[in-house]
Amino acid sequence: MADDDQHPDNETRLLYIQERLDEQDTPALAALFNALETVETTRILESFPQKTRDLLWPLIPTEDIGEVLAGVDEEIRADYVEDLSASDLETIVRGLDAQDVAEVLDVTDDETKSSVYASLDDNIRAQVENLHAYEEDVVGRYMDPETVNVKQGVSLEAVQRYIRIHHLLDDQSQQIMITDKEKRLLGTLTLIDLVKQPQEARVEEYMVDSFTLNDQMRVNNAAVLLRSKELSFVPVCDADGILVGQLNAADVLEITQDNADMTLKHMSGVSDEEEVFTPILRSAKSRGLWLGLNLLTAFLAAFVIGQFEAVLDQIVALAILMPVVASMGGIAGSQTLTVVIRGLALGQLVGDNTRWLYNKELMVGMSNGLVWSLVVGAISYVWFGQALITLVITLAIFVNMSLANLSGVVIPLILKRLKIDPALSGAVILTTVTDVVGFLSFLGLATLIIL
Amino acid sequence: MADDDQHPDNETRLLYIQERLDEQDTPALAALFNALETVETTRILESFPQKTRDLLWPLIPTEDIGEVLAGVDEEIRADYVEDLSASDLETIVRGLDAQDVAEVLDVTDDETKSSVYASLDDNIRAQVENLHAYEEDVVGRYMDPETVNVKQGVSLEAVQRYIRIHHLLDDQSQQIMITDKEKRLLGTLTLIDLVKQPQEARVEEYMVDSFTLNDQMRVNNAAVLLRSKELSFVPVCDADGILVGQLNAADVLEITQDNADMTLKHMSGVSDEEEVFTPILRSAKSRGLWLGLNLLTAFLAAFVIGQFEAVLDQIVALAILMPVVASMGGIAGSQTLTVVIRGLALGQLVGDNTRWLYNKELMVGMSNGLVWSLVVGAISYVWFGQALITLVITLAIFVNMSLANLSGVVIPLILKRLKIDPALSGAVILTTVTDVVGFLSFLGLATLIIL
């Protein structure tokens, strides 16, 4: 999101691929995929609708397919894995690390899963089975189970030699784990200290008392913690303090970004899985549910209006001005909602803070309500030239905007207490409240004052 | 955002602080801040309104103040830096790294800045001046200017010795830079390879051809690139390929998270800087502008309704059902908008993809439009028992939902071409379109069919 051109390179590459496809220039495309890193191939596959993707898929080098499958969006992965036999899968996952194998097998049925399990190296199989034992949305499912562990008392030099002899440290490692005999985590040693500190020093001299995550923690809670502590690496332990894995920088980035995406999608009624190239039927279905829910609330608003037929029948200007009342309340409320949802995610809203926030939002709602209700009143007077209508709409806008801001605090706090994601249903409930309050105050005041 | 309790630890800590404040137990609070890491102190300060924060501020250990100031939200930083003399600032920034010094001095006037510059070590001053030379929203401003550079031809062992002798590698380094005589970047060597590979090998044997960012790139574009390439470390070069700094995992996390926050805030009309504890007046002002803009569009909708006074005057049921038409179109359109804004951010919407997307969204809009217009029609028939009103609302919902989905594609694409952030103004323009189209089709059809 910015004011200059984004990714000329990515867009140029997609256009290049479209042109080669139009010319049926398969060799050029195969050469491209050969030259690209798997993460780039993955992004390209995610950047086309299914039909185009199906044309590109056979051109991916065989040795890249495993990592590409592990990397693409789950919907796409499921589409391709479905068509693969167990023996194809066995070939594909050979050489992948446990995290990638677990991702690929995630979308297979139990039978295929156990057949592929049987073909894996003992070490990888044990790790994959461990990962699969976790529920889908907990930290354990996202961690790298392969850690480098050393005991206290060894020198940095000895650690370095140990790593070289046993070919330890994979692509993403950033720290060495210091554990006791039971594999309980005592602390960590950064690669930075391993290199920069005197080599005769013992690991405990530079051991850091690392923040750890519990393997059963919800990944969305972990996302917020990781962010607030600005961590890009964290060891994962089970309930007994036994080290079971680690989150590397790439895992942390994935977890925190997925969490941000989810909030954004939930707030506008889009499901977690939907992307631009999700097929028509799937999109229509997942969005349809949300539309149905919204319909209920829209009819609730209509029902409220229906109670005031008498006054609407007499003064048509009211029908004309109704959307202004609803719209100003809706916007004011959703501004508050967005800010409060962030505060909730950061765990900031407790005790006196909550009281302070109610007060703040009421004041903001009333002051903006005052300003804009007077503006709306003035415009309405110029338009319709009727003092009573002007009075009614000015009061209604003021009431609705003040209550909208309060609702923007109350609704997410209640949802949180009910253990419902405030981002998911907050917006639809809030709009219902601002519509109902808006119509009720506007038409109610009109009935009282004008009729 | 999740369905179980978030941060019992953070919330518990905030409550603990509130209780100590109520009891005026200053020693307990001072002890707490002494024990905490600066990033935790920073989060606590951000978790209270200004009045409480002012009580806590004097309790922060002097040696932490620099890092805390560098870490807190810009608004808070400005509040405290304002009250500090140049000589206070000189003491505070002593010992900070260049990135932190640059952050703190960002909010000072030019006079204070040059006075503090003069007090810095030559090396740090040069780095800070370099950082300040960049515009606020480019990559160069966010980078760590301190890199560890080696030439080709040296052995890994020699690199390790060089690092130890000169006390190189700061807290966040992840890679060693391999440069030529002009400091042009040739490639990088990861700390992992530096440790795990045979020590007699020369650096070029394990040199990776690293992806780099240009120092003048907009930071929001960089955020998307970093994410799509799944990078958590990247060297930064100027236009001539000269190495000028690096983005570490923490910088990458900050850049990508700020970008996600910005999109979320922009979509609901909240400014980048607003947080839960932003003071009343600042919040009211920044939100007020957005409300004013929305008012214009609300009156546009009212004006459209005003054109149909005749039919509204005769059939009050139309006024009752109006919000249903507007609401269903608004939700459908904003679902599309959210998905399209993501696709734009990822650079996916070019050539045939755009055509495919128009087709998809029209199909999704029409199919959901068909389903829900029939449902709305049925409910309206039961409610009002009038065939013509049923016909009108069924058609209007169908038209509005189909066009809403198309608008959800057209509007952000046009905004992008005009170099306007689609997240910022997309939602308000879209609502205007769905309101206008909704009222126009509903009341227009009513005029044609019923009058």
Side-chain angles (χ1 to χ4, degrees):
Chain A
M1 320 302 103
D3 53 359
D4 54 356
D5 253 11
Q6 289 168 28
H7 316 299
D9 60 335
N10 195 41
E11 295 183 352
T12 312
R13 185 173 283 160
L14 297 185
L15 282 174
Y16 171 85
I17 293 172
Q18 288 179 359
E19 283 163 19
R20 295 297 83 70
L21 279 171
D22 290 344
E23 299 164 0
Q24 303 193 297
D25 186 352
T26 314
L29 289 169
L32 176 69
F33 284 123
N34 244 317
L36 289 178
E37 300 195 33
T38 54
V39 58
E40 295 178 292
T41 303
T42 306
R43 290 301 154 257
I44 287 175
L45 291 173
E46 288 173 349
S47 296
F48 284 110
Q50 193 181 349
K51 229 168 127 183
T52 317
R53 190 161 55 230
D54 287 346
L55 295 174
L56 298 175
W57 188 260
L59 305 175
I60 300 169
T62 320
E63 65 273 21
D64 287 356
I65 286 190
E67 284 188 18
V68 168
L69 270 182
V72 286
D73 292 333
E74 194 176 322
E75 284 194 349
I76 301 177
R77 183 188 311 138
D79 280 349
Y80 290 107
V81 169
E82 216 169 58
D83 297 337
L84 293 169
S85 69
S87 78
D88 285 344
L89 275 171
E90 286 166 22
T91 318
I92 284 170
V93 302
R94 203 165 294 152
L96 293 186
D97 66 24
Q99 277 179 297
D100 283 351
V101 177
E103 289 272 20
V104 172
L105 294 186
D106 246 5
V107 294
T108 58
D109 54 46
D110 287 344
E111 200 185 331
T112 315
K113 213 173 279 174
S114 44
S115 149
V116 178
Y117 274 169
S119 78
L120 294 169
D121 287 344
D122 287 350
N123 179 29
I124 297 277
R125 181 176 57 240
Q127 290 180 7
V128 173
E129 284 182 323
N130 269 341
L131 289 172
H132 277 155
Y134 288 104
E135 281 180 71
E136 268 206 31
D137 61 344
V138 301
V139 167
R141 191 62 164 265
Y142 285 73
M143 72 190 180
D144 177 0
E146 183 102 48
T147 57
V148 178
N149 310 337
V150 302
K151 302 261 171 298
Q152 284 185 303
V154 282
S155 69
L156 302 190
E157 196 181 6
V159 173
Q160 287 216 26
R161 250 184 294 119
Y162 170 70
I163 288 171
R164 285 195 282 275
I165 292 171
H166 296 281
H167 305 287
L168 302 177
L169 283 184
D170 66 16
D171 288 0
Q172 293 276 344
S173 303
Q174 295 153 267
Q175 303 197 13
I176 309 291
M177 308 292 171
I178 302 162
T179 52
D180 68 10
K181 270 179 264 169
E182 280 79 37
K183 250 192 106 179
R184 232 179 299 271
L185 185 70
L186 303 172
T188 66
L189 173 74
T190 63
L191 284 189
I192 294 166
D193 280 332
L194 179 62
V195 168
K196 87 189 272 195
Q197 303 301 349
Q199 295 297 294
E200 59 282 7
R202 291 192 299 176
V203 290
E204 57 268 34
E205 293 177 51
Y206 295 100
M207 182 166 83
V208 227
D209 195 14
S210 179
F211 174 79
T212 63
L213 283 178
N214 182 278
D215 58 347
Q216 297 293 351
M217 186 182 212
R218 297 289 158 119
V219 77
N220 288 318
N221 295 346
V224 186
L225 266 184
L226 291 168
R227 180 169 190 193
S228 75
K229 293 192 184 281
E230 296 178 4
L231 294 172
S232 52
F233 178 92
V234 59
V236 180
C237 295
D238 68 13
D240 301 321
I242 307 289
L243 178 73
V244 290
Q246 60 189 16
L247 296 179
N248 299 313
D251 304 319
V252 169
L253 211 56
E254 187 190 345
I255 289 174
T256 52
Q257 290 284 329
D258 284 354
N259 182 254
D261 278 357
M262 197 185 74
T263 306
L264 184 64
K265 287 177 176 174
H266 281 185
M267 286 193 77
S268 33
V270 174
S271 74
D272 292 354
E273 294 79 27
E274 180 161 355
E275 302 292 343
V276 164
F277 298 109
T278 300
I280 295 173
L281 210 66
R282 272 188 216 160
S283 286
K285 247 167 132 180
S286 84
R287 295 192 206 166
L289 285 174
W290 192 252
L291 288 162
L293 181 63
N294 179 65
L295 187 61
L296 286 179
T297 78
F299 266 109
L300 183 62
F303 175 78
V304 170
I305 301 173
Q307 304 311 302
F308 299 98
E309 260 193 82
V311 74
L312 277 170
D313 213 16
Q314 284 193 29
I315 309 157
V316 77
L318 297 178
I320 295 171
L321 290 172
M322 273 185 342
V324 177
V325 182
S327 158
M328 292 302 276
I331 299 279
S334 75
Q335 288 177 325
T336 305
L337 183 70
T338 301
V339 174
V340 173
I341 282 176
R342 251 184 73 77
L344 275 180
L346 299 174
Q348 295 177 327
L349 300 184
V350 288
D352 297 343
N353 283 356
T354 312
R355 276 188 289 280
W356 181 89
L357 187 63
Y358 277 115
N359 179 54
K360 167 189 165 172
E361 289 298 336
L362 185 60
M363 297 298 286
V364 171
M366 286 173 68
S367 52
N368 274 330
L370 187 66
V371 171
W372 296 111
S373 64
L374 291 175
V375 173
V376 171
I379 298 175
S380 308
Y381 188 73
V382 171
W383 190 349
F384 298 102
Q386 297 192 32
L388 286 182
I389 290 178
T390 304
L391 177 65
V392 165
I393 196 163
T394 307
L395 287 174
I397 296 253
F398 179 74
V399 168
N400 199 25
M401 285 181 69
S402 307
L403 290 183
N405 277 34
L406 274 189
S407 310
V409 187
V410 177
I411 292 168
L413 283 179
I414 291 178
L415 289 172
K416 200 210 158 189
R417 195 156 305 172
L418 298 176
K419 302 199 185 297
I420 298 171
D421 174 6
L424 185 56
S425 36
V428 76
I429 298 179
L430 180 80
T431 317
T432 312
V433 170
T434 54
D435 278 0
V436 168
V437 169
F439 297 137
L440 209 58
S441 57
F442 184 48
L443 301 176
L445 284 168
T447 306
L448 286 175
I449 295 177
I450 306 179
L451 270 200
Chain B
M1 317 308 101
D3 54 357
D4 54 355
D5 253 11
Q6 289 168 27
H7 315 300
D9 60 335
N10 195 43
E11 295 183 351
T12 312
R13 185 172 283 160
L14 296 185
L15 282 174
Y16 172 85
I17 293 172
Q18 288 178 359
E19 283 163 19
R20 295 298 81 74
L21 279 171
D22 289 344
E23 299 163 1
Q24 304 193 299
D25 187 352
T26 314
L29 289 169
L32 176 69
F33 285 123
N34 245 317
L36 290 178
E37 300 196 32
T38 54
V39 58
E40 296 177 293
T41 303
T42 306
R43 291 300 153 260
I44 288 175
L45 291 172
E46 289 172 348
S47 296
F48 285 109
Q50 192 180 348
K51 231 169 126 182
T52 317
R53 190 161 54 231
D54 287 346
L55 295 174
L56 298 174
W57 188 260
L59 306 175
I60 299 169
T62 321
E63 64 274 21
D64 288 354
I65 288 191
E67 283 187 18
V68 168
L69 270 182
V72 287
D73 293 333
E74 194 175 323
E75 283 194 350
I76 302 178
R77 183 188 311 139
D79 280 349
Y80 290 107
V81 169
E82 215 169 59
D83 297 337
L84 293 169
S85 68
S87 79
D88 285 343
L89 275 173
E90 285 167 22
T91 318
I92 284 172
V93 302
R94 205 166 292 153
L96 294 186
D97 65 26
Q99 277 179 298
D100 284 351
V101 177
E103 288 273 20
V104 172
L105 294 186
D106 247 5
V107 295
T108 59
D109 54 47
D110 286 345
E111 201 186 329
T112 314
K113 212 174 279 177
S114 45
S115 149
V116 178
Y117 274 170
S119 79
L120 293 170
D121 287 344
D122 288 351
N123 179 30
I124 298 276
R125 182 177 56 241
Q127 289 180 7
V128 173
E129 284 182 323
N130 269 341
L131 289 172
H132 277 155
Y134 288 105
E135 279 182 72
E136 269 207 28
D137 61 343
V138 301
V139 167
R141 191 60 164 266
Y142 285 74
M143 73 189 180
D144 177 1
E146 183 102 48
T147 57
V148 177
N149 310 337
V150 302
K151 303 261 171 298
Q152 284 184 302
V154 282
S155 69
L156 302 191
E157 195 181 5
V159 173
Q160 287 216 25
R161 249 185 293 118
Y162 169 72
I163 289 170
R164 285 194 282 274
I165 293 171
H166 296 282
H167 305 287
L168 302 176
L169 281 184
D170 67 15
D171 288 0
Q172 293 275 344
S173 302
Q174 295 154 268
Q175 304 198 13
I176 309 291
M177 308 293 172
I178 302 162
T179 52
D180 66 11
K181 269 181 262 168
E182 279 80 35
K183 250 192 106 180
R184 233 180 298 269
L185 186 70
L186 303 172
T188 67
L189 173 74
T190 64
L191 283 189
I192 294 166
D193 281 331
L194 178 62
V195 169
K196 87 189 272 195
Q197 303 302 349
Q199 295 297 294
E200 59 281 8
R202 292 191 302 177
V203 290
E204 57 268 37
E205 293 177 52
Y206 295 100
M207 183 166 84
V208 224
D209 195 14
S210 179
F211 173 80
T212 63
L213 282 178
N214 182 278
D215 58 348
Q216 297 293 350
M217 186 181 214
R218 296 290 159 118
V219 77
N220 288 318
N221 294 345
V224 185
L225 265 184
L226 290 169
R227 179 169 191 193
S228 75
K229 293 189 185 283
E230 295 178 4
L231 295 172
S232 52
F233 178 91
V234 60
V236 180
C237 295
D238 67 13
D240 301 322
I242 307 289
L243 178 73
V244 290
Q246 60 189 14
L247 296 178
N248 298 314
D251 304 320
V252 170
L253 211 56
E254 186 191 346
I255 288 174
T256 52
Q257 290 285 328
D258 284 355
N259 182 255
D261 278 357
M262 197 185 75
T263 305
L264 184 65
K265 288 178 177 174
H266 282 183
M267 286 193 76
S268 34
V270 173
S271 75
D272 292 354
E273 294 79 26
E274 180 161 356
E275 303 291 342
V276 165
F277 299 107
T278 299
I280 295 173
L281 211 66
R282 273 189 215 159
S283 287
K285 247 167 130 181
S286 83
R287 295 192 206 165
L289 286 174
W290 192 252
L291 288 162
L293 181 64
N294 179 65
L295 187 60
L296 286 179
T297 78
F299 266 110
L300 183 61
F303 176 77
V304 171
I305 301 173
Q307 305 310 302
F308 299 98
E309 261 192 81
V311 74
L312 277 170
D313 213 14
Q314 284 195 27
I315 310 158
V316 77
L318 297 178
I320 295 171
L321 290 172
M322 274 188 338
V324 178
V325 182
S327 159
M328 291 302 277
I331 300 279
S334 75
Q335 288 176 326
T336 305
L337 183 70
T338 301
V339 175
V340 172
I341 282 177
R342 252 185 74 76
L344 275 181
L346 299 174
Q348 295 177 329
L349 300 184
V350 288
D352 296 343
N353 283 356
T354 312
R355 276 188 289 277
W356 180 89
L357 186 63
Y358 276 115
N359 179 54
K360 167 189 164 171
E361 289 299 336
L362 184 61
M363 297 299 285
V364 171
M366 285 173 69
S367 53
N368 274 330
L370 187 66
V371 171
W372 295 110
S373 64
L374 292 174
V375 173
V376 172
I379 298 175
S380 307
Y381 189 74
V382 172
W383 190 346
F384 298 102
Q386 296 192 34
L388 286 181
I389 290 178
T390 305
L391 177 66
V392 166
I393 196 162
T394 307
L395 287 175
I397 296 254
F398 178 74
V399 168
N400 199 24
M401 285 181 69
S402 306
L403 290 183
N405 277 32
L406 274 190
S407 310
V409 187
V410 177
I411 292 168
L413 283 178
I414 292 178
L415 289 172
K416 201 212 158 188
R417 195 155 304 173
L418 298 175
K419 302 198 183 299
I420 298 171
D421 174 7
L424 184 56
S425 35
V428 75
I429 298 179
L430 181 80
T431 316
T432 311
V433 170
T434 54
D435 279 0
V436 168
V437 169
F439 296 137
L440 210 58
S441 57
F442 183 48
L443 301 177
L445 284 168
T447 307
L448 286 175
I449 295 177
I450 306 179
L451 270 199

